Amino acid sequence: MQELYLIREGPVECYLYPSSESPYQLAERAIIADEKQHNTLEQCSVCAKPIMERILRATDRAYHPHCFTCVMCHRSLDGIPFTVDSGGHIHCIEDYHRKFAPRCSVCKGPIMPAEGKEETVRIVALDRDFHVQCYRCEDCGGLLSEGDNQGCYPLDGHILCKTCNSARIQALTAKASTDL
């Protein structure tokens, strides 16, 4: 009895069949079996191809590990913390902060945690956001978040320390009395 072997593409698999079937019948049966197997496999949410190996599950979807990436930097997020925006887009933590973090009204940079940290401090004054190091008196440049000038004494929409606020009030009072 003659034996025929059918070798498939991909991972090498050999099948031993009796010679009662022609090679064409064997190939057709293998194709039908392959199609049935592919139809039962989950499809990747990104590339829509069947997932043949390891399935990565996140956001109630299935992914190939190499398809699960940040929408901004395209870095693989397999095993890395990530977050999802309101539109369902997946971001690495750094890119999420860069895109959605509030902006400092002085330097215009995102107010986000330092590398390796999970939290940061944001100062809000007069409906404006500030980094701790950018929160300074508009007149003298003194840091308002620490030291003797700690605290904000706003005047006419300006962020001032106590000393500069007093000086401006005195100047306005002197001008008002000379105008009378």
Side-chain angles (χ1 to χ4, degrees):
M1 180 166 139
Q2 181 184 7
E3 296 176 344
L4 298 173
Y5 292 90
L6 175 64
I7 300 176
R8 296 178 24 194
E9 285 188 32
V12 176
E13 298 178 32
C14 295
Y15 299 95
L16 178 64
Y17 293 99
S19 62
S20 61
E21 293 185 72
S22 75
Y24 298 110
Q25 291 171 320
L26 292 175
E28 186 177 320
R29 190 159 38 122
I31 290 169
I32 291 169
D34 253 1
E35 285 174 0
K36 285 181 181 175
Q37 181 182 3
H38 277 263
N39 290 339
T40 62
L41 295 173
E42 281 196 74
Q43 291 187 339
C44 176
S45 296
V46 174
C47 70
K49 293 181 181 175
I51 302 173
M52 307 286 282
E53 308 263 330
R54 187 169 70 100
I55 296 175
L56 191 150
R57 290 196 187 282
T59 65
D60 294 328
R61 297 181 184 152
Y63 300 88
H64 291 109
H66 63 274
C67 289
F68 189 67
T69 60
C70 173
V71 295
M72 293 182 68
C73 68
H74 306 291
R75 179 176 67 166
S76 172
L77 298 176
D78 184 13
I80 296 174
F82 68 95
T83 190
V84 180
D85 67 18
S86 60
H89 301 106
I90 299 164
H91 298 268
C92 64
I93 300 298
E94 296 83 12
D95 284 341
Y96 182 84
H97 284 299
R98 273 191 277 280
K99 185 174 181 180
F100 295 106
R103 300 282 170 177
C104 176
S105 66
V106 175
C107 72
K108 309 299 182 217
I111 301 172
M112 55 189 266
E115 195 168 328
K117 303 279 184 178
E118 292 186 17
E119 295 179 347
T120 192
V121 174
R122 171 179 62 137
I123 298 172
V124 180
L126 299 178
D127 292 326
R128 293 186 277 174
D129 298 313
F130 299 89
H131 289 107
V132 172
Q133 294 303 320
C134 294
Y135 188 54
R136 297 178 176 274
C137 174
E138 292 179 23
D139 283 355
C140 71
L143 194 60
L144 297 176
S145 58
E146 57 188 44
D148 294 336
N149 282 334
Q150 186 172 6
C152 175
Y153 295 82
L155 182 64
D156 295 329
H158 294 282
I159 305 287
L160 304 169
C161 66
K162 185 176 184 179
T163 306
C164 292
N165 175 287
S166 297
R168 278 196 183 204
I169 289 175
Q170 285 176 352
L172 288 171
T173 306
K175 184 177 188 251
S177 62
T178 59
D179 287 344
L180 293 176

